[in-house]
Every structure is written in structure tokens, then in C-alpha cells.
Amino acid sequence: MPTAHTFSVESENETLIVTPLRSVGSLAEENVRPELDAIIEEIRQRELKHAVIDLREITYFGTSMLEAMFAIWRRIRTDHNESAEGETPQAETIRGQMTLCNVSTMGREILRVSRFDTLWPICDSKDDAIRRMADES
Amino acid sequence: MTSILVVDDSAVDRRLVGGMLQHDSDMEIEFAVHGADAIGRMESALPDLVVTDLMMPEMNGLELVTAVRAQYPLVPVILITSKGSEEVAVEALQRGAASYVPKRSLATDLCETVRRVLAVSGHRRSHWRLMGCMTKSHSAFVLENDSTLFSPLVGHLQEEMSRLDLCDETERTRIGVALEEALSNALYHGNLGVDSDLRDDDDASYYSLVESRLREEPYRNRRIHVEAILSRDEVSVVIRDEGSGFDPMSLPDPRDPANLEKVSGRGVLLMRTFMDEVTYSESGEAVTLVKRRNADSASSRCRPGNGEGM
């Protein structure tokens, strides 16, 4: 994994917990994209089923952070059932889930306005989010 | 007359420090017995300067430095440190103390340190008061294609809004989100001409194209022009890129369930929600964002965004 400038990452059982450490102006910024790619690769390699995005370090964010969360969610949600050689490729199978936690009032407003609150459940704490993901397994 | 609040739980030391400072006839000395007592007294009357001991019950000197810095940033604090507490002195400076004086040097250094700190803080206060008299600000920037400049620019404009008392912190944050979205659009979709649809289909290709265009002619020489007019009643920011423009009506509507799993279009939705007006020039290369003070409100708050109906 590259040095964490933007995201800190830990895991618990089948859940990857990602904590954005700062707001980002763009995913094209230096260091941001390699870190995000490494997170997505870790999900793929370890076949992690769920993700929790802990937003405790950032009070607000724009579409760049939403885009990063979207990329993680897209990886978590599908693509686990890659076909074995010779098999007919399966359609994308919805499998994993992603939950957000420790979202500020402004963060909730941004998620509501951008309609992402309809895609990702929001829990009050990291423990609640991890528990929710464990229940999904 | 200059007022100084001396904070110490020891009556003897309060008298000692107070006596040294009172040698200067222009100083009025008040006393508090610990940090919490000092904060309580500052709520009713703000001193020009605080001189505090380190070790005290209730709230110690370091905690007092932090609290004063947060609540009364224009009031400087000088910490009196005892022998062997050099590390504490460093921490106090990091927390925002104006200076420190070792207890053993009080007689020689205290009055001089107080005078020096008062001179600096007086200048800061005057500047702050002058900025409080500002009624309008007009600024213009020409930015290279560098997204790391967006946050400092937005922070600068938010500070101006704060000085003009245009709106509260929450509104400033909303305006900041909208401005950052508009700046990102100007860079990526305007100057670099990268289509947001590509991001929905293949984000690796999208960022690869961004990287290459940042180095290629004519994209790399394009600039983002920002013109901001801020008054006590309104903030108006025009952001113009040097791209070929776009049709804002062509963006997918994120509120349409069919577009729920697309990223594109959400930035403009945030802009429209958090600002009162978002208008594009005919060719789409310039956007004007306006936020007004809410005239109906008794407080000096801006009204919430009205993008829900758009």
C-alpha cells in the first residue's frame, strides 16, 4: 500500500474500514489516485465483502470524495463472482455492501442533496457500521 | 487604559506579578484564581492580555491557552513557566500562547514581554477592526490548471465572507462546496475538455486523459478566471474557463432514478442547491454563482439553498 496521505485503511473480518483523512479537491491530485487504486485492489485480492467509510475526520466534502466512495462501493458491490476459466461469464452479481459512519451534519446534507444517501446507509458510529456489515454476512 | 488579567492560584504569586505590572501606571490589573475562573471573567469583560501560571486546579495554564485561543483569538496569553518546564513552554506556543516567561526571570523579563506582546496584538486588533469596517471587496484571480489552488482560494473567499458577516459558518461551508465544484468543472470539463460520461464508464481512462491533457497543448496553457464581488448583502463569483464551453442541460439529472449510479451531474446539483443563483453564459464557459443575505431573517444568516425545486 502507498503511504497514507488521504485514506487510512484497516479491516475487520470481511469488512474493509476506510477513513478519509482529509478532504480532496480532486482524485487527480498527487497521491490520491494511487491510494484509492490500492484500496480497490485490496478489496479484490482479499475478496472482502463489505466496506465501512468512516467520515469522522472530515466535516464536509465534494464530488471528488463522493467519487472515491463511489469507486469503492462499485468494487465492493459487484465483481466478486469472477467466472472460472471455461465458464460462461456471469452478469455482475450484487454481493457486498457499504455503510458510512460518523457523518457530520454538513456531510449528511451533501449526501442527501447528491442522492447518495439512497445508496449507502449511514450509521452513527464505526461499531454500529461494522455490526451492520457483520449482520449482512 | 490597558487591562491585564493575571491568573494564578497562589495569592502570593498573584500579588507579585500584579505588583510588577502595576509599575506601569497605564495598566489595570484584574485577577483570577484558575483557568475556569479566568474564562468566566472574560465572558463579562475582555482584557487586552492574559498572564497565567501553569499549574492550577480546575483548568491549568495550557488548557487556558487553548480555551482563550478558541474563544478569544485576539486576546494574547503569556504563560509563566517554572524550572524544568521548557517542553511545556514549547507546547504552550504550539497551542497559541503569545509568549512565555520563566518564573526565575519574572523581575527582568515580564514587563518587557508584556509590552512587546501588547504592541503586536494591538496591531492585529486594529487590522481586525479595520477589516470589520469593510463593506465590499472585489478580487480577481487567474489560476493555472492546478486543483490544489482551489481549496486556498475558497478558504480566502470564506474568510472575506466572515469579515463581512455575510453569513454563518454553515452557509460559508455550503458556498465553499459549491465554489469548489464550479472550479473543478472549469478545470476538468472546461480547460481539459474531459467528458464526465467517461468517468461513469471507465474512471481509469478518465484520469489517464486528465493526466495527459495537463501536459498537452492547448489544454495545459488554459487558465481559470475567477472574479469575486463580496458585500454585506451578497456574494457573486464568476468562474470562467478557456475551454469550448458546454451545455449544462446535457448533464444527467441525478434525481432521476435511472442516473442514481452515476457520479456526473451531482456537482452542478450541489451548486444549485447551495447557492441562490447559478447561471451559465450562453456558450457555457462561464458560470456565475450568487448567494444573498436572507432579508427576511432577523439574524445575519443567509437562507438555505433552494435547489430542491430545480
Side-chain angles (χ1 to χ4, degrees):
Chain A
M1 290 282 273
T3 309
H5 295 286
T6 309
F7 304 101
S8 99
V9 180
E10 57 189 312
S11 60
E12 187 163 320
N13 300 324
E14 294 179 297
T15 299
L16 191 73
I17 301 145
V18 180
T19 305
L21 301 172
R22 64 182 182 94
S23 207
V24 293
S26 162
L27 295 193
E29 277 177 26
E30 200 179 355
N31 300 323
V32 177
R33 191 74 214 178
E35 282 188 52
L36 182 60
D37 287 344
I39 288 168
I40 289 168
E41 182 59 18
E42 184 170 354
I43 293 168
R44 195 189 66 79
Q45 282 193 351
R46 294 176 58 193
E47 297 187 348
L48 293 164
K49 285 176 71 176
H50 304 300
V52 168
I53 309 292
D54 185 346
L55 293 165
R56 67 176 187 270
E57 299 290 344
I58 50 175
T59 51
Y60 72 94
F61 42 83
T63 47
S64 296
M65 188 55 75
L66 290 170
E67 201 184 322
M69 293 194 280
F70 188 83
I72 295 168
W73 175 74
R74 195 154 58 179
R75 181 73 229 180
I76 277 287
R77 199 184 70 132
T78 56
D79 205 29
H80 290 284
N81 293 345
E82 285 162 322
S83 306
E85 204 173 335
E87 284 183 2
T88 308
Q90 296 179 3
E92 282 190 336
T93 308
I94 296 174
R95 180 165 156 182
Q97 284 224 12
M98 189 171 95
T99 298
L100 314 184
C101 65
N102 293 315
V103 187
S104 68
T105 306
M106 179 57 68
R108 284 176 188 262
E109 186 176 4
I110 289 164
L111 289 162
R112 181 181 58 76
V113 170
S114 60
R115 301 299 194 270
F116 278 120
D117 63 341
T118 59
L119 287 186
W120 307 321
I122 299 173
C123 292
D124 288 339
S125 69
K126 188 167 90 175
D127 288 345
D128 286 349
I130 292 170
R131 210 173 299 124
R132 183 181 178 128
M133 293 296 89
D135 291 345
E136 293 284 343
S137 295
Chain B
M1 181 177 280
T2 303
S3 64
I4 297 181
L5 180 62
V6 174
V7 191
D8 202 315
D9 59 322
S10 157
V12 174
D13 287 349
R14 282 199 302 274
R15 176 175 287 202
L16 174 70
V17 172
M20 288 176 184
L21 295 172
Q22 263 162 347
H23 271 118
D24 188 332
S25 58
D26 195 31
M27 291 186 186
E28 183 181 272
I29 313 298
E30 299 287 334
F31 296 98
V33 297
H34 49 63
D37 184 28
I39 291 292
R41 286 169 188 274
M42 291 175 79
E43 282 167 7
S44 53
L46 269 189
D48 295 305
L49 175 83
V50 174
V51 177
T52 181
D53 188 29
L54 176 62
M55 302 296 290
M56 295 180 294
E58 300 279 332
M59 180 191 283
N60 68 32
L62 276 180
E63 291 164 339
L64 179 60
V65 166
T66 305
V68 172
R69 181 77 179 164
Q71 293 177 48
Y72 309 106
L74 293 180
V75 177
V77 181
I78 296 174
L79 192 74
I80 298 172
T81 57
S82 49
K83 193 178 176 186
S85 57
E86 289 76 11
E87 284 181 11
V88 175
V90 171
E91 190 181 346
L93 293 174
Q94 285 170 343
R95 289 189 185 204
S99 189
Y100 69 95
V101 180
K103 204 167 257 183
R104 62 177 184 280
S105 314
L106 278 180
T108 53
D109 294 350
L110 181 62
C111 288
E112 177 53 31
T113 305
V114 165
R115 269 192 290 274
R116 188 165 38 79
V117 169
L118 280 172
V120 173
S121 69
H123 177 74
R124 280 179 57 208
R125 254 197 299 269
S126 300
H127 180 71
W128 187 258
R129 279 183 54 215
L130 174 67
M131 289 298 103
C133 302
M134 184 169 70
T135 57
K136 193 170 188 178
S137 114
H138 187 168
S139 52
F141 303 83
V142 180
L143 307 182
E144 293 177 3
N145 291 326
D146 180 358
S147 64
T148 62
L149 293 172
F150 296 167
S151 189
L153 170 60
V154 169
H156 167 77
L157 294 175
Q158 285 172 318
E159 272 180 33
E160 296 275 278
M161 287 176 228
S162 173
R163 283 177 180 148
L164 288 162
D165 197 23
L166 178 65
C167 50
D168 66 7
E169 192 179 348
T170 303
E171 277 310 324
R172 283 197 298 275
T173 303
R174 289 191 180 111
I175 295 169
V177 169
L179 293 178
E180 288 209 26
E181 295 301 332
L183 288 163
S184 289
N185 285 347
L187 169 54
Y188 297 109
H189 309 317
N191 282 354
L192 301 186
V194 182
D195 195 326
S196 59
D197 283 347
L198 182 58
R199 187 173 48 186
D200 288 324
D201 297 337
D202 179 359
D203 60 349
S205 299
Y206 175 90
Y207 286 104
S208 166
L209 188 57
V210 165
E211 272 183 38
S212 62
R213 289 198 172 173
L214 280 169
R215 295 187 299 267
E216 287 170 14
E217 296 281 5
Y219 309 103
R220 69 174 190 177
N221 289 329
R222 290 175 176 169
R223 297 289 179 264
I224 301 167
H225 303 259
V226 181
E227 187 168 7
I229 301 174
L230 285 74
S231 72
R232 291 183 187 274
D233 297 316
E234 182 180 289
V235 51
S236 172
V237 182
V238 181
I239 296 171
R240 181 171 61 83
D241 59 66
E242 295 180 352
S244 51
F246 87 113
D247 176 10
M249 299 303 287
S250 65
L251 285 173
D253 180 355
R255 294 168 298 183
D256 182 340
N259 296 325
L260 193 61
E261 297 187 11
K262 287 184 176 178
V263 178
S264 54
R266 288 170 207 266
V268 174
L269 184 62
L270 285 171
M271 286 157 57
R272 290 196 190 282
T273 303
F274 290 160
M275 304 300 283
D276 289 329
E277 275 181 37
V278 176
T279 49
Y280 283 89
S281 61
E282 204 169 316
S283 51
E285 91 290 1
V287 60
T288 303
L289 302 102
V290 177
K291 186 79 183 176
R292 298 185 191 88
R293 179 195 293 276
N294 183 3
D296 300 332
S297 169
S299 71
S300 60
R301 304 280 166 92
C302 295
R303 68 169 173 258
N306 58 359
E308 288 299 310
M310 298 190 72

